[in-house]
Amino acid sequence: MRIFKKPLFMVNPKTYLYGDNVVKLAQLTEKVANKYGLDCLFTSQPIDIPALKQATSDLIITAQHMDTVKPGKLGVVLPEALNSYGVDAVILNHSEDPLTVSQLDDGVKKARALGMLSIACADSFEQCRAIAQMHPDIMICEPADLVGSGSTSDENYVKQALKAVHTVNPEITVIAAAGVDDAGDVIKMLTWGAEGTGGASGIVKATDWEEKLEEMMSAMAKFK
Amino acid sequence: MRIFKKPLFMVNPKTYLYGDNVVKLAQLTEKVANKYGLDCLFTSQPIDIPALKQATSDLIITAQHMDTVKPGKLGVVLPEALNSYGVDAVILNHSEDPLTVSQLDDGVKKARALGMLSIACADSFEQCRAIAQMHPDIMICEPADLVGSGSTSDENYVKQALKAVHTVNPEITVIAAAGVDDAGDVIKMLTWGAEGTGGASGIVKATDWEEKLEEMMSAMAKFK
Amino acid sequence: MRIFKKPLFMVNPKTYLYGDNVVKLAQLTEKVANKYGLDCLFTSQPIDIPALKQATSDLIITAQHMDTVKPGKLGVVLPEALNSYGVDAVILNHSEDPLTVSQLDDGVKKARALGMLSIACADSFEQCRAIAQMHPDIMICEPADLVGSGSTSDENYVKQALKAVHTVNPEITVIAAAGVDDAGDVIKMLTWGAEGTGGASGIVKATDWEEKLEEMMSAMAKFK
Amino acid sequence: MRIFKKPLFMVNPKTYLYGDNVVKLAQLTEKVANKYGLDCLFTSQPIDIPALKQATSDLIITAQHMDTVKPGKLGVVLPEALNSYGVDAVILNHSEDPLTVSQLDDGVKKARALGMLSIACADSFEQCRAIAQMHPDIMICEPADLVGSGSTSDENYVKQALKAVHTVNPEITVIAAAGVDDAGDVIKMLTWGAEGTGGASGIVKATDWEEKLEEMMSAMAKFK
């Protein structure tokens, strides 16, 4: 299982990028993360994973989805195949890719069995507590209606979500990232107690990726 | 919100029956339940609900599914429509009709807001604890691979599942019903601590429904 | 199989209405349809079907969805259960409730086997031709992005869609209804060749349902 | 768009293999296909596509699924990402990964727009005719209940399916492959008129892959 230290930065290019472009963003991310001594999740479509693993060595390469299927099914990616390419972590139950209760439970267990970190997303405080009972390694807590909105979670949400998760299991690392896209947002999230944050469209759509990563990671570095 | 007393009997005809036949089974169920002074959940497809509400007065008429949608969507049943016909309870997350984490969370809250009992199904102990964090009124705990199998949960599963739920929320009524189809099964489940049990295909496929209901409910009555 | 004559009017209350309100709209629809001698599809959530069948005698009561399942599955409505309550027709593959190719094929066949009219929805001209190959009784052709938009299909779309369907099977009755909500829209659709039209939110949200139905059906009556 | 000649061989390892093993099977497939001068589809999970493109040069590398999504969605693979890695073809609507009518229509169009071959699966004769109306480049016609069964389609099915597709569009290449796993099966399919065939578990589970490929492709070569 990949070891990581907090605070944790996350770059989530979703499907905005692929091929050479996503490799370029990953390399810039690794460069800036290393400059600031930060551990960093970098999420990927399955087809880009081999290139990302080859082009980087420190990033926590994270599959954006994992199917909990057995060999033989068609149209999916086998968890063992993710693992064979060196995937370090998997995102489960993102609001754009929701899982059933049973799939999420199976997914956390399967990731653990294969030595991959499980990162489970939760929305309401009830969901935060419920999913914490499944003991993923990391949770991303954010109100689903803020994803991609450009508005961050507020202080009350972040503090309550952290408390909800940690009351059930204090070992889970909690990321708060909804709408985060500049240094000010990073500082807010970490000040309110989040153990990680990062960006998706806020980074991908920046005109200068390295500058944006510098801005956000330098802000995070003060919380090491 | 419908009040009920434990132990709770459940008859789940799924889609094996409809129309006059399901009404007949409901009336027999009510007759036998009243004889033994038991409260009884009786599940229904939405199209049979009006007839079941008209033909019975004591059964806890339970929708087999609830969509958590807002007015306007097509191809579903509005929760408010269930409520307007007097539905007393709704089943959420049955293994044959699994819900996403978010839908289950919304479903429990919507049922509560409309004054209907929420009945959530769980499989593994992690799922039992997770779903208990959403505070449904009733949980049905059963290993998914035993549903419809004719084999009941074993003593270890029932006791551990009960403990898992009640450690999180002792107010939740826990039903264990997988594979239950005779008096011996009813006695086992209640002896191991279950607060309710019942049958699906085991009752529907019995040659004499009333005799089968007599056998199972008379066994349950000793645990009042 | 219910016999009907063209042009066909359709009222699709989706899940905007239920219980007494949907019964009231159905009764007004029947009254106005009879005044103008029109046959009329009236769509319904499954839970309202028994009340609608009891309160009306001439409307073609149409299920908004049909699951093509066998007895035993939970969380759905058995096709035979729809049939036992006298459902006259079923909508399949609405853009808000899309079906797989296989489910649509099975659905058309199952409806036919049970003596219910099948009404299949299509979007592009390729879909119009493809679905016509499955030989539903009625097709609703409308660009998915116009559903609920208040904008109707244009002349080119309606004429091409009609031609697409009828080149494959001239026996299929083609309805064009996207965004239709007044007499002018009804006249446009029928002038362009549609064999039926009607409304959903345009009728439900009218301040005076009877007046709106009068307006639209009186316009349609000129095309008898 | 990749050009190919008939008859077409297909190797579909589904998710039985991944990583080095699937690369090994692909290399053996290419070796034997070249020996017999056959064009060959080789299907892949997205994560293995980069390695397969690198390790082979003649195989028609085929994605086992394509999501018809726009940039930004998470948990899927962007069609443009498949294309950027040189994917030659995509399978759409396999019985283990069924698509809605609308997704299939979009998928065929998207593949064409990106210069990838579209391969659509169909079951009943109605589905064969319906899907042929969407004009995929290749169709795989097989009764869904035979997939993975070890039983092939019979003469009547293969001949009728071919006729169904070609009556609508004679340009579509039709593959019949259900249950095919030896030379005799290959000969039967091609004798009955199929323009391609191949194997999935029948090849993957053979003790000697090369021997199995030799057996099946040498049989096919007689139909060049």
Side-chain angles (χ1 to χ4, degrees):
Chain A
M1 194 79 79
R2 171 68 188 258
I3 304 290
F4 63 90
K5 58 182 182 303
K6 309 175 207 170
L8 200 48
F9 198 76
M10 177 175 71
V11 177
N12 181 9
K14 299 185 176 179
T15 48
Y16 289 115
L17 303 176
Y18 54 86
D20 292 345
N21 281 325
V22 83
V23 167
K24 187 183 152 203
L25 178 60
Q27 288 173 322
L28 287 173
T29 300
E30 186 167 66
K31 178 181 159 190
V32 181
N34 286 345
K35 174 174 170 186
Y36 291 104
L38 294 170
D39 276 340
C40 185
L41 302 165
F42 192 93
T43 81
S44 177
Q45 302 176 66
I47 200 166
D48 286 316
I49 285 172
L52 290 172
K53 285 300 296 186
Q54 199 157 23
T56 67
S57 51
D58 300 323
L59 295 179
I60 303 170
I61 298 298
T62 302
Q64 291 175 0
H65 171 89
M66 182 174 72
D67 300 293
T68 53
V69 292
K70 293 195 165 44
K73 180 96 175 59
L74 182 140
V76 295
V77 179
L78 199 68
E80 287 78 2
L82 292 178
N83 194 47
S84 79
Y85 281 94
V87 165
D88 301 296
V90 296
I91 294 183
L92 299 168
N93 198 43
H94 192 277
S95 62
E96 291 170 4
D97 180 35
L99 301 186
T100 67
V101 178
S102 175
Q103 288 170 330
L104 178 54
D105 179 30
D106 289 350
V108 171
K109 290 171 180 170
K110 188 75 186 175
R112 188 181 302 129
L114 291 170
M116 301 188 289
L117 296 167
S118 55
I119 305 172
C121 302
D123 178 341
S124 69
F125 305 132
E126 287 79 11
Q127 290 179 39
C128 291
R129 281 186 287 266
I131 295 174
Q133 291 284 5
M134 296 178 184
H135 307 301
D137 299 292
I138 298 170
M139 284 179 65
I140 301 176
C141 299
E142 43 195 46
D145 52 7
L146 293 185
V147 172
S149 71
S151 300
T152 66
S153 306
D154 63 17
E155 181 171 359
N156 180 58
Y157 177 84
V158 174
K159 289 186 170 175
Q160 296 273 352
L162 272 153
K163 193 178 157 192
V165 172
H166 286 155
T167 301
V168 173
N169 181 348
E171 301 294 312
I172 298 171
T173 298
V174 178
I175 291 175
V180 168
D181 61 10
D182 63 19
D185 293 337
V186 168
I187 291 168
K188 278 197 304 186
M189 294 300 137
L190 297 184
T191 303
W192 295 338
E195 300 167 287
T197 190
S201 53
I203 294 171
V204 170
K205 295 181 176 173
T207 46
D208 184 328
W209 290 343
E210 188 165 359
E211 189 180 67
K212 176 56 73 182
L213 291 164
E214 272 280 344
E215 174 194 341
M216 294 176 76
M217 288 204 238
S218 64
M220 178 174 271
K222 295 168 194 152
F223 292 83
K224 286 207 298 182
Chain B
M1 194 78 81
R2 170 69 188 257
I3 304 290
F4 63 90
K5 57 183 182 302
K6 307 175 209 171
L8 200 48
F9 198 78
M10 177 176 69
V11 176
N12 181 10
K14 298 185 176 180
T15 47
Y16 289 114
L17 303 176
Y18 54 86
D20 292 345
N21 281 325
V22 82
V23 167
K24 185 181 154 204
L25 178 60
Q27 288 173 322
L28 287 172
T29 300
E30 186 167 66
K31 176 180 160 190
V32 180
N34 285 344
K35 174 173 170 187
Y36 291 103
L38 295 170
D39 275 341
C40 185
L41 301 165
F42 192 94
T43 82
S44 176
Q45 301 175 67
I47 201 167
D48 286 317
I49 285 172
L52 291 171
K53 285 299 297 187
Q54 199 156 23
T56 67
S57 50
D58 300 323
L59 296 178
I60 302 171
I61 297 298
T62 301
Q64 291 176 359
H65 171 88
M66 181 174 71
D67 300 293
T68 53
V69 292
K70 294 197 164 44
K73 179 96 174 59
L74 181 140
V76 295
V77 179
L78 198 70
E80 288 78 1
L82 291 178
N83 194 47
S84 79
Y85 281 94
V87 166
D88 300 296
V90 295
I91 293 183
L92 299 168
N93 198 44
H94 191 277
S95 62
E96 291 171 4
D97 181 34
L99 300 187
T100 67
V101 178
S102 176
Q103 289 170 330
L104 177 53
D105 179 29
D106 289 350
V108 171
K109 289 171 179 168
K110 187 75 186 177
R112 187 181 302 128
L114 292 170
M116 300 188 289
L117 296 167
S118 55
I119 305 172
C121 302
D123 178 340
S124 70
F125 305 133
E126 288 79 10
Q127 289 179 38
C128 290
R129 281 187 288 266
I131 295 173
Q133 290 284 5
M134 297 178 183
H135 306 302
D137 299 292
I138 298 170
M139 285 179 64
I140 301 176
C141 299
E142 42 194 46
D145 52 6
L146 294 185
V147 172
S149 71
S151 300
T152 67
S153 306
D154 63 17
E155 180 171 359
N156 180 59
Y157 177 83
V158 174
K159 289 186 170 174
Q160 296 274 350
L162 272 153
K163 193 177 156 191
V165 172
H166 285 156
T167 301
V168 173
N169 182 347
E171 301 294 312
I172 298 171
T173 298
V174 178
I175 291 175
V180 168
D181 60 10
D182 62 19
D185 293 337
V186 167
I187 290 168
K188 280 198 301 186
M189 294 300 136
L190 298 183
T191 301
W192 295 338
E195 301 167 285
T197 192
S201 53
I203 295 171
V204 170
K205 296 181 176 173
T207 45
D208 183 328
W209 289 344
E210 188 166 0
E211 187 179 67
K212 177 55 73 180
L213 291 164
E214 271 279 347
E215 174 194 341
M216 294 176 75
M217 287 205 238
S218 63
M220 176 173 273
K222 294 167 194 150
F223 291 82
K224 286 205 298 182
Chain C
M1 195 79 79
R2 170 69 187 257
I3 305 291
F4 62 91
K5 59 183 181 301
K6 308 176 208 170
L8 199 48
F9 198 77
M10 177 176 68
V11 176
N12 181 9
K14 298 187 176 180
T15 48
Y16 289 114
L17 303 176
Y18 53 86
D20 293 344
N21 281 325
V22 83
V23 168
K24 186 182 152 204
L25 178 60
Q27 288 172 322
L28 286 172
T29 300
E30 186 167 65
K31 177 180 159 190
V32 180
N34 285 346
K35 174 173 170 187
Y36 291 102
L38 295 170
D39 275 340
C40 184
L41 301 165
F42 192 93
T43 82
S44 177
Q45 301 175 69
I47 201 167
D48 286 317
I49 285 172
L52 290 171
K53 285 299 295 186
Q54 199 157 22
T56 67
S57 49
D58 300 323
L59 295 179
I60 302 170
I61 297 298
T62 301
Q64 292 176 359
H65 171 88
M66 181 174 72
D67 301 292
T68 53
V69 292
K70 293 196 163 47
K73 179 95 176 59
L74 181 140
V76 295
V77 180
L78 199 69
E80 287 78 1
L82 291 179
N83 194 47
S84 79
Y85 281 94
V87 165
D88 300 296
V90 296
I91 294 183
L92 300 168
N93 199 44
H94 191 277
S95 62
E96 292 170 4
D97 181 33
L99 301 187
T100 68
V101 178
S102 175
Q103 288 170 330
L104 178 54
D105 179 30
D106 289 350
V108 171
K109 290 170 180 170
K110 187 76 186 175
R112 187 181 302 129
L114 291 170
M116 300 188 289
L117 297 166
S118 55
I119 306 172
C121 301
D123 178 341
S124 70
F125 305 133
E126 287 78 11
Q127 289 179 39
C128 290
R129 281 186 287 265
I131 295 174
Q133 290 284 5
M134 296 177 183
H135 306 303
D137 299 290
I138 298 170
M139 284 180 64
I140 301 175
C141 298
E142 44 195 44
D145 52 6
L146 293 185
V147 173
S149 71
S151 299
T152 66
S153 305
D154 63 16
E155 179 170 358
N156 180 58
Y157 177 84
V158 174
K159 289 187 171 175
Q160 296 273 352
L162 272 153
K163 192 177 157 193
V165 172
H166 285 156
T167 301
V168 173
N169 182 346
E171 300 295 312
I172 297 171
T173 297
V174 178
I175 292 175
V180 168
D181 60 10
D182 62 20
D185 293 337
V186 168
I187 291 168
K188 279 198 302 186
M189 294 300 136
L190 297 184
T191 301
W192 295 338
E195 300 167 284
T197 191
S201 52
I203 294 170
V204 170
K205 295 181 176 173
T207 45
D208 184 328
W209 289 344
E210 188 166 358
E211 188 179 66
K212 176 56 72 181
L213 291 164
E214 271 280 346
E215 174 194 341
M216 294 176 75
M217 288 205 238
S218 63
M220 177 173 272
K222 294 167 194 150
F223 292 82
K224 286 207 296 182
Chain D
M1 195 79 80
R2 170 70 189 256
I3 304 290
F4 62 91
K5 57 182 183 301
K6 308 176 206 170
L8 199 49
F9 198 77
M10 177 176 69
V11 177
N12 181 10
K14 298 186 176 179
T15 48
Y16 289 114
L17 303 176
Y18 54 86
D20 293 345
N21 281 325
V22 83
V23 168
K24 188 183 153 202
L25 178 60
Q27 289 171 322
L28 286 173
T29 299
E30 186 168 64
K31 179 181 159 189
V32 180
N34 286 345
K35 175 175 170 185
Y36 290 103
L38 295 170
D39 275 341
C40 185
L41 301 165
F42 192 93
T43 82
S44 177
Q45 303 176 67
I47 200 165
D48 286 317
I49 284 171
L52 290 170
K53 285 300 297 185
Q54 199 156 23
T56 68
S57 50
D58 299 323
L59 296 179
I60 302 170
I61 298 298
T62 301
Q64 291 176 359
H65 171 88
M66 182 174 71
D67 300 293
T68 52
V69 293
K70 294 195 164 45
K73 179 97 175 55
L74 183 141
V76 295
V77 179
L78 199 68
E80 287 79 1
L82 292 178
N83 195 47
S84 79
Y85 281 93
V87 165
D88 300 296
V90 296
I91 294 184
L92 299 168
N93 198 45
H94 191 278
S95 62
E96 291 171 4
D97 181 33
L99 300 187
T100 67
V101 178
S102 175
Q103 288 170 330
L104 177 54
D105 179 30
D106 289 350
V108 170
K109 290 170 179 169
K110 188 76 188 176
R112 187 180 301 129
L114 291 170
M116 300 188 289
L117 296 166
S118 55
I119 306 172
C121 302
D123 178 341
S124 69
F125 305 132
E126 287 78 10
Q127 290 178 40
C128 289
R129 281 187 286 266
I131 295 174
Q133 290 284 4
M134 296 178 184
H135 305 303
D137 299 292
I138 298 170
M139 285 180 63
I140 302 176
C141 299
E142 43 195 46
D145 51 6
L146 293 185
V147 173
S149 71
S151 300
T152 67
S153 306
D154 63 17
E155 181 170 359
N156 179 59
Y157 176 84
V158 174
K159 290 187 170 176
Q160 296 274 350
L162 272 153
K163 191 177 157 193
V165 172
H166 285 156
T167 301
V168 173
N169 181 346
E171 300 295 312
I172 298 171
T173 298
V174 178
I175 292 176
V180 168
D181 60 11
D182 62 20
D185 293 337
V186 168
I187 291 168
K188 279 197 303 185
M189 294 301 136
L190 297 183
T191 302
W192 296 339
E195 301 167 285
T197 190
S201 53
I203 295 171
V204 171
K205 296 181 175 173
T207 46
D208 183 328
W209 290 343
E210 189 167 358
E211 188 180 68
K212 176 56 72 181
L213 291 163
E214 271 280 346
E215 173 194 341
M216 294 175 76
M217 288 204 238
S218 62
M220 178 174 271
K222 294 167 195 149
F223 292 83
K224 285 207 297 181

